[in-house]
Amino acid sequence: MTTAYETIRVRPLAGACGAEISGVDLARPLGNQAFAEIHRAFLEHSVIFFRDQDLKPADQEAFTLRFGPFGQTDYVKTLPDHPNIIAVIKEAEERTPFNFGGVWHSDFSYQDRPPMATILYGRDVPPYGGDTMFASGYLAYETLSDGLKRTLEGLRAVHSARRSYGSKGSYAKRRLKSMEIAADESGDAELEHPVIRTHPETGRKSVFVNPVYTIRIAGWTEAESKPLLDFLHAHAQRPEFTCRFRWAKGSLAMWDNRCLQHLALNDYHGFRREHHRTTVAGDRPA
Ligand SMILES: O=C(O)CCC(=O)C(=O)O
């Protein structure tokens, strides 16, 4: 039986993941019980949303630090006085088919210790469009056959930032007018993570590959890896594993990169969108 929440209200958004939390002002210091309940809701729903928050950068930093030290931010220029905040911006006149976060991914999975959580705060939100979608890696794992689960348990995957931030990556070729992103050869580095990871706090297993940063199965060629990775990506993105969040100014989302992928929809041409983004450091996937 799950324990009731006493200091916050938690309203699930979808069967797969996601819940809206109300009854808390994140600009004020969080009491221990409120923090413990928010943390519990985060683990139960993998992504949590708050509405109508009025946060200065320092408030978002303080909320982030309740969960742990900041994660490492590479390649993307941060705010001048806030080295742990990225402004995710697309201007109204940027009619590009390419936007920040526009392909399913788990944040910075090319890092040895990818961020456990990302916190995104809506500052300027289009009148429609620009939603963010999330997909549960737990459900992706739990719905596989026992045979494929067994096969995947023995595999590791190679992750790299090269398609995005590498010397020939998309950010080396295409400029986003409103975000300063410095792609370079350090983005070509590779490292391995298990294909199936066990969440260090919930103990649940999830599929931990994504189409942006996973390059191949370790020990296999890219051509050999492609059919399996294509299957896993398509499987992980099944609509019934997802939830979709409609932003408003003052909304805040906090998602768990250890068991979710996400995608920023690019369907609001002609309108400006701006969010502030922080991350919480994570551990080495195992
Ligand atoms: O802008 C969004 O909705 C999400 C951006 C994103 O993918 C990220 O911050 O990692």
Side-chain angles (χ1 to χ4, degrees):
M1 204 187 77
T2 52
T3 323
Y5 293 93
E6 286 173 16
T7 61
I8 55 171
R9 284 179 298 284
V10 178
R11 191 172 65 92
L13 192 67
C17 55
E20 278 200 31
I21 296 189
S22 54
V24 62
D25 177 358
L26 300 181
R28 300 166 71 96
L30 280 179
N32 287 344
Q33 186 173 355
F35 171 73
E37 293 192 356
I38 290 170
H39 186 224
R40 177 152 65 87
F42 169 68
L43 294 180
E44 276 176 16
H45 299 281
S46 306
V47 52
I48 50 177
F49 308 104
F50 301 82
R51 297 284 189 191
D52 302 321
Q53 301 293 324
D54 186 6
L55 301 186
K56 297 187 176 49
D59 300 324
Q60 182 169 347
E61 288 166 338
F63 177 67
T64 306
L65 289 170
R66 279 307 297 261
F67 292 87
F70 291 119
Q72 175 192 325
T73 299
D74 313 308
Y75 308 112
V76 186
K77 189 153 186 245
T78 55
L79 296 188
D81 299 327
H82 299 276
N84 293 291
I85 300 185
I86 293 175
V88 177
I89 302 177
K90 189 159 88 78
E91 298 292 352
E93 65 277 10
E94 279 186 273
R95 288 177 178 271
T96 157
F98 179 67
N99 67 321
F100 188 77
V103 179
W104 285 102
H105 63 287
S106 171
D107 283 329
F108 300 163
S109 74
Y110 62 85
Q111 293 180 348
D112 181 41
R113 295 164 188 266
M116 71 105 151
T118 303
I119 295 170
L120 197 65
Y121 174 61
R123 289 168 49 90
D124 194 1
V125 170
Y128 56 81
D131 295 356
T132 308
M133 294 189 69
F134 300 88
S136 168
Y138 290 145
L139 291 180
Y141 173 76
E142 288 159 11
T143 52
L144 294 172
S145 65
D146 289 343
L148 186 52
K149 278 183 189 152
R150 270 196 301 278
T151 301
L152 296 178
E153 300 274 359
L155 299 179
R156 295 174 67 76
V158 174
H159 294 240
S160 168
R162 81 171 196 220
R163 294 188 188 118
S164 310
Y165 304 116
S167 51
K168 298 195 184 77
S170 40
Y171 290 110
K173 290 188 219 131
R174 280 178 277 193
R175 293 269 170 260
L176 286 182
K177 190 172 150 280
S178 44
M179 291 179 70
E180 243 181 89
I181 301 181
D184 62 41
E185 56 288 342
S186 70
D188 300 332
E190 297 184 338
L191 53 66
E192 291 179 15
H193 292 308
V195 170
I196 304 300
R197 93 178 267 189
T198 304
H199 195 291
E201 295 187 85
T202 66
R204 291 174 72 186
K205 291 182 179 180
S206 65
V207 175
F208 192 65
V209 291
N210 68 80
V212 172
Y213 299 125
T214 308
I215 305 295
R216 62 183 181 279
I217 303 295
W220 300 17
T221 66
E222 283 184 42
E224 288 166 345
S225 307
K226 190 173 183 313
L228 177 57
L229 289 176
D230 284 350
F231 166 77
L232 290 173
H233 298 329
H235 176 70
Q237 296 158 16
R238 274 166 55 173
E240 65 271 33
F241 300 163
T242 69
C243 76
R244 176 169 174 156
F245 185 61
R246 178 155 196 188
W247 292 92
K249 184 174 160 55
S251 304
L252 181 139
M254 174 175 180
W255 62 83
D256 192 333
N257 289 304
R258 299 166 294 186
C259 57
L260 280 187
Q261 292 187 55
H262 62 280
L263 162 85
L265 284 154
N266 187 16
D267 58 348
Y268 54 96
H269 300 305
F271 299 107
R272 186 172 192 278
R273 183 178 186 272
E274 176 180 347
H275 288 71
H276 277 182
R277 177 188 191 277
T278 48
T279 57
V280 183
D283 51 13
R284 186 175 290 128

mmCIF file of all heavy atoms in Angstrom, residues 86 88 99-103 105-108 118-120 130-134 213 247 255 257 262-265 268 273 275 277, ligand 1:
data_model
loop_
_atom_site.group_PDB
_atom_site.id
_atom_site.type_symbol
_atom_site.label_atom_id
_atom_site.label_comp_id
_atom_site.label_asym_id
_atom_site.label_seq_id
_atom_site.Cartn_x
_atom_site.Cartn_y
_atom_site.Cartn_z
ATOM 1 N N ILE A 86 21.405 26.545 -17.861
ATOM 2 C CA ILE A 86 21.370 26.761 -19.315
ATOM 3 C C ILE A 86 20.037 27.426 -19.626
ATOM 4 O O ILE A 86 19.009 27.030 -19.064
ATOM 5 C CB ILE A 86 21.384 25.413 -20.068
ATOM 6 C CG1 ILE A 86 22.696 24.669 -19.887
ATOM 7 C CG2 ILE A 86 21.099 25.585 -21.537
ATOM 8 C CD1 ILE A 86 22.656 23.274 -20.525
ATOM 9 N N VAL A 88 17.393 27.392 -22.341
ATOM 10 C CA VAL A 88 16.960 26.670 -23.561
ATOM 11 C C VAL A 88 15.992 27.613 -24.271
ATOM 12 O O VAL A 88 14.884 27.859 -23.793
ATOM 13 C CB VAL A 88 16.260 25.346 -23.195
ATOM 14 C CG1 VAL A 88 15.759 24.643 -24.448
ATOM 15 C CG2 VAL A 88 17.196 24.439 -22.406
ATOM 16 N N ASN A 99 15.647 21.640 -33.146
ATOM 17 C CA ASN A 99 15.548 22.357 -31.867
ATOM 18 C C ASN A 99 16.311 21.601 -30.784
ATOM 19 O O ASN A 99 16.587 20.399 -30.938
ATOM 20 C CB ASN A 99 14.078 22.561 -31.459
ATOM 21 C CG ASN A 99 13.373 21.263 -31.136
ATOM 22 O OD1 ASN A 99 13.589 20.260 -31.789
ATOM 23 N ND2 ASN A 99 12.534 21.275 -30.136
ATOM 24 N N PHE A 100 16.616 22.272 -29.698
ATOM 25 C CA PHE A 100 17.370 21.651 -28.606
ATOM 26 C C PHE A 100 16.504 20.580 -27.947
ATOM 27 O O PHE A 100 15.400 20.872 -27.479
ATOM 28 C CB PHE A 100 17.768 22.738 -27.586
ATOM 29 C CG PHE A 100 18.697 22.250 -26.521
ATOM 30 C CD1 PHE A 100 20.046 22.066 -26.782
ATOM 31 C CD2 PHE A 100 18.234 21.971 -25.245
ATOM 32 C CE1 PHE A 100 20.917 21.621 -25.790
ATOM 33 C CE2 PHE A 100 19.089 21.520 -24.248
ATOM 34 C CZ PHE A 100 20.435 21.343 -24.532
ATOM 35 N N GLY A 101 16.983 19.347 -27.929
ATOM 36 C CA GLY A 101 16.227 18.267 -27.286
ATOM 37 C C GLY A 101 15.135 17.685 -28.155
ATOM 38 O O GLY A 101 14.242 17.001 -27.649
ATOM 39 N N GLY A 102 15.204 17.913 -29.478
ATOM 40 C CA GLY A 102 14.108 17.512 -30.360
ATOM 41 C C GLY A 102 14.138 16.061 -30.812
ATOM 42 O O GLY A 102 13.339 15.675 -31.678
ATOM 43 N N VAL A 103 15.042 15.259 -30.308
ATOM 44 C CA VAL A 103 15.069 13.816 -30.597
ATOM 45 C C VAL A 103 15.066 13.103 -29.242
ATOM 46 O O VAL A 103 15.686 13.598 -28.283
ATOM 47 C CB VAL A 103 16.342 13.435 -31.411
ATOM 48 C CG1 VAL A 103 16.379 11.936 -31.686
ATOM 49 C CG2 VAL A 103 16.405 14.218 -32.722
ATOM 50 N N HIS A 105 15.880 11.269 -26.033
ATOM 51 C CA HIS A 105 17.191 11.064 -25.401
ATOM 52 C C HIS A 105 17.057 11.028 -23.890
ATOM 53 O O HIS A 105 16.036 11.425 -23.319
ATOM 54 C CB HIS A 105 18.163 12.193 -25.786
ATOM 55 C CG HIS A 105 17.725 13.560 -25.312
ATOM 56 N ND1 HIS A 105 16.681 14.245 -25.891
ATOM 57 C CD2 HIS A 105 18.180 14.346 -24.307
ATOM 58 C CE1 HIS A 105 16.509 15.396 -25.275
ATOM 59 N NE2 HIS A 105 17.400 15.487 -24.294
ATOM 60 N N SER A 106 18.116 10.568 -23.254
ATOM 61 C CA SER A 106 18.276 10.652 -21.805
ATOM 62 C C SER A 106 19.469 11.583 -21.614
ATOM 63 O O SER A 106 20.511 11.398 -22.244
ATOM 64 C CB SER A 106 18.568 9.256 -21.255
ATOM 65 O OG SER A 106 18.921 9.339 -19.908
ATOM 66 N N ASP A 107 19.342 12.586 -20.762
ATOM 67 C CA ASP A 107 20.318 13.671 -20.772
ATOM 68 C C ASP A 107 21.750 13.208 -20.527
ATOM 69 O O ASP A 107 22.029 12.488 -19.561
ATOM 70 C CB ASP A 107 19.928 14.749 -19.756
ATOM 71 C CG ASP A 107 18.789 15.599 -20.298
ATOM 72 O OD1 ASP A 107 18.711 15.773 -21.529
ATOM 73 O OD2 ASP A 107 17.971 16.066 -19.493
ATOM 74 N N PHE A 108 22.622 13.670 -21.459
ATOM 75 C CA PHE A 108 24.071 13.527 -21.314
ATOM 76 C C PHE A 108 24.487 12.084 -20.994
ATOM 77 O O PHE A 108 25.408 11.838 -20.203
ATOM 78 C CB PHE A 108 24.598 14.450 -20.205
ATOM 79 C CG PHE A 108 24.347 15.937 -20.448
ATOM 80 C CD1 PHE A 108 24.443 16.848 -19.403
ATOM 81 C CD2 PHE A 108 24.045 16.422 -21.703
ATOM 82 C CE1 PHE A 108 24.236 18.212 -19.606
ATOM 83 C CE2 PHE A 108 23.825 17.783 -21.917
ATOM 84 C CZ PHE A 108 23.930 18.674 -20.857
ATOM 85 N N THR A 118 16.937 16.210 -14.354
ATOM 86 C CA THR A 118 16.973 17.515 -15.016
ATOM 87 C C THR A 118 15.756 18.296 -14.551
ATOM 88 O O THR A 118 14.666 17.729 -14.413
ATOM 89 C CB THR A 118 16.961 17.357 -16.549
ATOM 90 O OG1 THR A 118 18.063 16.534 -16.932
ATOM 91 C CG2 THR A 118 17.061 18.703 -17.256
ATOM 92 N N ILE A 119 15.972 19.584 -14.317
ATOM 93 C CA ILE A 119 14.895 20.463 -13.834
ATOM 94 C C ILE A 119 14.747 21.595 -14.845
ATOM 95 O O ILE A 119 15.725 22.296 -15.147
ATOM 96 C CB ILE A 119 15.248 20.988 -12.427
ATOM 97 C CG1 ILE A 119 15.281 19.796 -11.451
ATOM 98 C CG2 ILE A 119 14.253 22.059 -11.982
ATOM 99 C CD1 ILE A 119 15.836 20.094 -10.091
ATOM 100 N N LEU A 120 13.557 21.725 -15.394
ATOM 101 C CA LEU A 120 13.321 22.697 -16.462
ATOM 102 C C LEU A 120 12.176 23.611 -16.040
ATOM 103 O O LEU A 120 11.095 23.139 -15.657
ATOM 104 C CB LEU A 120 12.953 21.928 -17.739
ATOM 105 C CG LEU A 120 13.036 22.676 -19.067
ATOM 106 C CD1 LEU A 120 14.478 23.062 -19.383
ATOM 107 C CD2 LEU A 120 12.484 21.810 -20.200
ATOM 108 N N GLY A 130 5.155 23.192 -28.325
ATOM 109 C CA GLY A 130 6.331 23.215 -27.455
ATOM 110 C C GLY A 130 6.192 22.322 -26.237
ATOM 111 O O GLY A 130 6.892 22.504 -25.236
ATOM 112 N N ASP A 131 5.284 21.346 -26.291
ATOM 113 C CA ASP A 131 5.156 20.389 -25.186
ATOM 114 C C ASP A 131 6.438 19.548 -25.066
ATOM 115 O O ASP A 131 7.219 19.455 -26.019
ATOM 116 C CB ASP A 131 4.002 19.403 -25.435
ATOM 117 C CG ASP A 131 2.631 20.072 -25.468
ATOM 118 O OD1 ASP A 131 2.551 21.291 -25.233
ATOM 119 O OD2 ASP A 131 1.645 19.361 -25.748
ATOM 120 N N THR A 132 6.610 18.925 -23.920
ATOM 121 C CA THR A 132 7.698 17.948 -23.760
ATOM 122 C C THR A 132 7.079 16.584 -23.516
ATOM 123 O O THR A 132 6.114 16.460 -22.738
ATOM 124 C CB THR A 132 8.619 18.344 -22.591
ATOM 125 O OG1 THR A 132 9.028 19.702 -22.756
ATOM 126 C CG2 THR A 132 9.867 17.462 -22.553
ATOM 127 N N MET A 133 7.614 15.577 -24.198
ATOM 128 C CA MET A 133 7.132 14.202 -24.011
ATOM 129 C C MET A 133 8.165 13.401 -23.224
ATOM 130 O O MET A 133 9.363 13.646 -23.325
ATOM 131 C CB MET A 133 6.878 13.534 -25.354
ATOM 132 C CG MET A 133 5.734 14.170 -26.123
ATOM 133 S SD MET A 133 5.310 13.202 -27.575
ATOM 134 C CE MET A 133 4.596 11.748 -26.809
ATOM 135 N N PHE A 134 7.675 12.436 -22.472
ATOM 136 C CA PHE A 134 8.525 11.570 -21.645
ATOM 137 C C PHE A 134 8.129 10.126 -21.909
ATOM 138 O O PHE A 134 6.939 9.839 -22.124
ATOM 139 C CB PHE A 134 8.332 11.913 -20.163
ATOM 140 C CG PHE A 134 8.679 13.336 -19.853
ATOM 141 C CD1 PHE A 134 7.728 14.350 -19.956
ATOM 142 C CD2 PHE A 134 9.984 13.679 -19.511
ATOM 143 C CE1 PHE A 134 8.063 15.673 -19.710
ATOM 144 C CE2 PHE A 134 10.323 15.001 -19.259
ATOM 145 C CZ PHE A 134 9.363 15.999 -19.362
ATOM 146 N N TYR A 213 22.522 9.487 -28.176
ATOM 147 C CA TYR A 213 23.868 9.240 -27.650
ATOM 148 C C TYR A 213 24.343 7.789 -27.765
ATOM 149 O O TYR A 213 25.531 7.521 -27.589
ATOM 150 C CB TYR A 213 23.948 9.675 -26.183
ATOM 151 C CG TYR A 213 23.662 11.154 -25.975
ATOM 152 C CD1 TYR A 213 22.677 11.582 -25.091
ATOM 153 C CD2 TYR A 213 24.391 12.121 -26.676
ATOM 154 C CE1 TYR A 213 22.414 12.930 -24.896
ATOM 155 C CE2 TYR A 213 24.121 13.474 -26.497
ATOM 156 C CZ TYR A 213 23.139 13.870 -25.605
ATOM 157 O OH TYR A 213 22.877 15.208 -25.421
ATOM 158 N N TRP A 247 3.140 23.072 -21.308
ATOM 159 C CA TRP A 247 3.749 24.097 -20.468
ATOM 160 C C TRP A 247 2.874 25.332 -20.342
ATOM 161 O O TRP A 247 2.104 25.650 -21.245
ATOM 162 C CB TRP A 247 5.089 24.533 -21.079
ATOM 163 C CG TRP A 247 6.138 23.488 -21.041
ATOM 164 C CD1 TRP A 247 6.426 22.570 -22.019
ATOM 165 C CD2 TRP A 247 7.055 23.235 -19.981
ATOM 166 N NE1 TRP A 247 7.464 21.767 -21.622
ATOM 167 C CE2 TRP A 247 7.875 22.160 -20.379
ATOM 168 C CE3 TRP A 247 7.278 23.812 -18.736
ATOM 169 C CZ2 TRP A 247 8.886 21.654 -19.574
ATOM 170 C CZ3 TRP A 247 8.277 23.315 -17.933
ATOM 171 C CH2 TRP A 247 9.078 22.243 -18.353
ATOM 172 N N TRP A 255 12.648 15.628 -14.173
ATOM 173 C CA TRP A 255 12.571 14.243 -14.644
ATOM 174 C C TRP A 255 13.802 13.438 -14.267
ATOM 175 O O TRP A 255 14.875 13.962 -14.038
ATOM 176 C CB TRP A 255 12.317 14.185 -16.154
ATOM 177 C CG TRP A 255 13.347 14.781 -17.060
ATOM 178 C CD1 TRP A 255 14.497 14.200 -17.506
ATOM 179 C CD2 TRP A 255 13.289 16.077 -17.682
ATOM 180 N NE1 TRP A 255 15.164 15.047 -18.360
ATOM 181 C CE2 TRP A 255 14.448 16.193 -18.490
ATOM 182 C CE3 TRP A 255 12.378 17.136 -17.655
ATOM 183 C CZ2 TRP A 255 14.708 17.340 -19.242
ATOM 184 C CZ3 TRP A 255 12.651 18.270 -18.395
ATOM 185 C CH2 TRP A 255 13.793 18.360 -19.174
ATOM 186 N N ASN A 257 16.493 10.969 -15.298
ATOM 187 C CA ASN A 257 17.189 10.471 -16.491
ATOM 188 C C ASN A 257 17.602 9.008 -16.378
ATOM 189 O O ASN A 257 18.044 8.419 -17.356
ATOM 190 C CB ASN A 257 18.438 11.326 -16.741
ATOM 191 C CG ASN A 257 18.086 12.712 -17.229
ATOM 192 O OD1 ASN A 257 17.399 12.868 -18.234
ATOM 193 N ND2 ASN A 257 18.537 13.724 -16.508
ATOM 194 N N HIS A 262 13.197 11.648 -23.023
ATOM 195 C CA HIS A 262 12.271 12.754 -23.276
ATOM 196 C C HIS A 262 12.555 13.385 -24.624
ATOM 197 O O HIS A 262 13.601 13.147 -25.247
ATOM 198 C CB HIS A 262 12.333 13.782 -22.143
ATOM 199 C CG HIS A 262 13.676 14.422 -22.005
ATOM 200 N ND1 HIS A 262 14.723 13.817 -21.363
ATOM 201 C CD2 HIS A 262 14.157 15.605 -22.456
ATOM 202 C CE1 HIS A 262 15.779 14.592 -21.405
ATOM 203 N NE2 HIS A 262 15.465 15.688 -22.077
ATOM 204 N N LEU A 263 11.632 14.232 -25.053
ATOM 205 C CA LEU A 263 11.674 14.828 -26.390
ATOM 206 C C LEU A 263 10.973 16.178 -26.325
ATOM 207 O O LEU A 263 9.850 16.273 -25.801
ATOM 208 C CB LEU A 263 10.904 13.893 -27.341
ATOM 209 C CG LEU A 263 10.432 14.430 -28.668
ATOM 210 C CD1 LEU A 263 11.564 14.318 -29.682
ATOM 211 C CD2 LEU A 263 9.249 13.643 -29.182
ATOM 212 N N ALA A 264 11.630 17.216 -26.872
ATOM 213 C CA ALA A 264 11.016 18.560 -26.907
ATOM 214 C C ALA A 264 10.366 18.750 -28.269
ATOM 215 O O ALA A 264 11.047 18.719 -29.301
ATOM 216 C CB ALA A 264 12.096 19.610 -26.688
ATOM 217 N N LEU A 265 9.063 18.938 -28.301
ATOM 218 C CA LEU A 265 8.358 19.091 -29.580
ATOM 219 C C LEU A 265 8.648 20.464 -30.190
ATOM 220 O O LEU A 265 8.719 21.466 -29.485
ATOM 221 C CB LEU A 265 6.853 18.911 -29.363
ATOM 222 C CG LEU A 265 6.459 17.448 -29.189
ATOM 223 C CD1 LEU A 265 5.196 17.301 -28.375
ATOM 224 C CD2 LEU A 265 6.272 16.794 -30.544
ATOM 225 N N TYR A 268 5.928 25.068 -32.799
ATOM 226 C CA TYR A 268 5.416 26.375 -32.355
ATOM 227 C C TYR A 268 6.104 27.508 -33.119
ATOM 228 O O TYR A 268 6.389 28.573 -32.555
ATOM 229 C CB TYR A 268 5.608 26.535 -30.834
ATOM 230 C CG TYR A 268 7.035 26.313 -30.365
ATOM 231 C CD1 TYR A 268 7.909 27.387 -30.169
ATOM 232 C CD2 TYR A 268 7.518 25.019 -30.136
ATOM 233 C CE1 TYR A 268 9.211 27.176 -29.759
ATOM 234 C CE2 TYR A 268 8.815 24.808 -29.719
ATOM 235 C CZ TYR A 268 9.655 25.884 -29.533
ATOM 236 O OH TYR A 268 10.950 25.669 -29.132
ATOM 237 N N ARG A 273 10.096 30.617 -27.120
ATOM 238 C CA ARG A 273 10.024 29.677 -25.997
ATOM 239 C C ARG A 273 11.332 29.779 -25.235
ATOM 240 O O ARG A 273 12.410 29.748 -25.852
ATOM 241 C CB ARG A 273 9.819 28.257 -26.536
ATOM 242 C CG ARG A 273 9.643 27.147 -25.484
ATOM 243 C CD ARG A 273 9.411 25.849 -26.252
ATOM 244 N NE ARG A 273 9.083 24.707 -25.418
ATOM 245 C CZ ARG A 273 9.958 23.893 -24.857
ATOM 246 N NH1 ARG A 273 11.262 24.132 -24.992
ATOM 247 N NH2 ARG A 273 9.560 22.838 -24.160
ATOM 248 N N HIS A 275 13.246 28.361 -21.485
ATOM 249 C CA HIS A 275 13.252 27.644 -20.212
ATOM 250 C C HIS A 275 14.630 27.769 -19.565
ATOM 251 O O HIS A 275 15.631 27.882 -20.266
ATOM 252 C CB HIS A 275 12.972 26.148 -20.426
ATOM 253 C CG HIS A 275 11.565 25.829 -20.792
ATOM 254 N ND1 HIS A 275 11.031 26.141 -22.007
ATOM 255 C CD2 HIS A 275 10.587 25.212 -20.090
ATOM 256 C CE1 HIS A 275 9.761 25.732 -22.041
ATOM 257 N NE2 HIS A 275 9.471 25.168 -20.888
ATOM 258 N N ARG A 277 17.311 25.608 -17.275
ATOM 259 C CA ARG A 277 17.541 24.172 -17.067
ATOM 260 C C ARG A 277 18.717 23.949 -16.134
ATOM 261 O O ARG A 277 19.804 24.498 -16.348
ATOM 262 C CB ARG A 277 17.857 23.559 -18.438
ATOM 263 C CG ARG A 277 18.191 22.101 -18.482
ATOM 264 C CD ARG A 277 18.639 21.852 -19.922
ATOM 265 N NE ARG A 277 18.782 20.469 -20.272
ATOM 266 C CZ ARG A 277 19.850 19.747 -20.013
ATOM 267 N NH1 ARG A 277 20.850 20.252 -19.343
ATOM 268 N NH2 ARG A 277 19.907 18.494 -20.441
HETATM 269 O O1 LIG B 1 12.886 22.012 -24.016
HETATM 270 C C1 LIG B 1 12.447 20.933 -23.598
HETATM 271 O O2 LIG B 1 11.242 20.704 -23.464
HETATM 272 C C2 LIG B 1 13.398 19.833 -23.232
HETATM 273 C C3 LIG B 1 14.798 20.170 -23.625
HETATM 274 C C4 LIG B 1 15.689 18.994 -23.410
HETATM 275 O O3 LIG B 1 15.598 18.009 -24.067
HETATM 276 C C5 LIG B 1 16.655 19.042 -22.345
HETATM 277 O O4 LIG B 1 16.715 20.054 -21.625
HETATM 278 O O5 LIG B 1 17.375 18.055 -22.177
#
